[in-house]
């Protein structure tokens, strides 16, 4: 009986100690940080990236009508802040065929797409101009651009120039407002 009593006592001691071990717990805490940076980018799929726009004067009637080219998804912007889009030519003239055509013959109009903000139509000048003002932040916001030379501009400033291709680079810049 003494053996049984000792055995029962040992079992009780192990049960009490064992249950405390089973109920024991340990915790670890980790801090999770989210680091944000302001982001503004012009997507590689934007038509304006290394794109080309052609306005053609092939017949006499072309000089008497406005020439347009509307380019969908000209700019695709992702920005973590409200932003503006500015436009600037690489100089004061389209050059080619040994002659020049002033850049102010061209009007660029911001239109269509998923981008909001104050969209404008600007007559190109040899300076930085705001094409879209206060566009709200967003991801992959699209903007269509319309390039136009009015008939009166072509008869005044283009007609009589030598045959050929006249070119000028136009740079679009997205900046936080």
């Amino acid at each position: 009986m003494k053996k049984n009593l000792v055995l029962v006592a040992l079992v009780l001691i192990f049960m009490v100690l064992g249950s405390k071990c089973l109920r024991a717990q340990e915790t670890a805490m980790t801090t999770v940080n989210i680091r944000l940076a302001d982001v503004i980018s012009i997507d590689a799929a934007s038509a304006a990236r290394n794109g080309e726009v052609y306005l053609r004067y092939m017949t006499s009637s072309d000089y008497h009508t406005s020439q347009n080219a509307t380019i969908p998804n000209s700019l695709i912007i992702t920005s973590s802040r409200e932003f503006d889009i500015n436009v600037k030519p690489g100089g004061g003239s389209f050059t080619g065929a040994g002659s020049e055509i002033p850049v102010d013959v061209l009007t660029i109009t911001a239109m269509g797409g998923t981008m909001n903000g104050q969209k404008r139509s600007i007559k190109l000048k040899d300076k930085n101009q705001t094409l879209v003002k206060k566009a709200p932040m967003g991801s992959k916001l699209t903007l269509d651009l319309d390039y136009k030379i009015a008939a009166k501009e072509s008869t005044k400033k283009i007609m009589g120039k030598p045959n050929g291709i006249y070119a000028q680079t136009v740079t679009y810049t997205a900046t936080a407002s």
Side-chain angles (χ1 to χ4, degrees):
M1 172 112 172
K2 217 177 195 186
K3 281 185 186 180
N4 284 342
L5 198 52
V6 170
L7 189 58
V8 170
L10 283 173
V11 168
L12 286 174
I13 290 172
F14 283 125
M15 283 177 59
V16 169
L17 290 176
S19 68
K20 285 189 178 188
C21 289
L22 290 176
R23 281 187 268 164
Q25 66 182 27
E26 189 173 337
T27 60
M29 292 174 48
T30 299
T31 300
V32 176
N33 299 299
I34 299 174
R35 183 175 181 186
L36 301 177
D38 285 338
V39 173
I40 192 161
S41 69
I42 299 175
D43 194 274
S46 298
R49 277 213 186 261
N50 301 315
E52 292 187 71
V53 175
Y54 285 94
L55 299 168
R56 292 178 169 82
Y57 291 86
M58 306 305 286
T59 67
S60 61
S61 65
D62 291 340
Y63 287 92
H64 302 290
T65 58
S66 295
Q67 299 300 308
N68 286 67
T70 300
I71 311 298
N73 297 324
S74 289
L75 295 170
I76 303 169
I77 308 286
T78 295
S79 180
S80 60
R81 300 257 183 239
E82 182 179 83
F83 63 96
D84 298 335
I85 295 177
N86 297 310
V87 60
K88 184 179 183 197
S93 299
F94 291 88
T95 58
S99 191
E100 296 181 346
I101 298 170
V103 293
D104 69 357
V105 299
L106 183 65
T107 299
I108 301 174
T109 303
M111 54 190 278
T114 61
M115 186 182 301
N116 292 318
Q118 299 167 15
K119 296 176 183 174
R120 298 178 175 172
S121 181
I122 58 139
K123 189 171 202 144
L124 204 57
K125 295 179 184 167
D126 189 14
K127 68 177 190 174
N128 210 29
Q129 295 175 276
T130 303
L131 188 61
V132 178
K133 189 162 184 65
K134 295 186 180 265
M137 67 177 182
S139 179
K140 295 204 177 221
L141 303 172
T142 61
L143 180 67
D144 303 340
L145 296 177
D146 183 66
Y147 298 83
K148 178 180 179 179
I149 297 177
K152 69 178 183 173
E153 295 293 343
S154 58
T155 56
K156 280 192 222 173
K157 298 177 182 175
I158 295 176
M159 189 174 271
K161 300 289 182 183
N163 291 345
I165 296 176
Y166 292 76
Q168 179 57 263
T169 59
V170 176
T171 302
Y172 297 95
T173 306
T175 55
S177 339

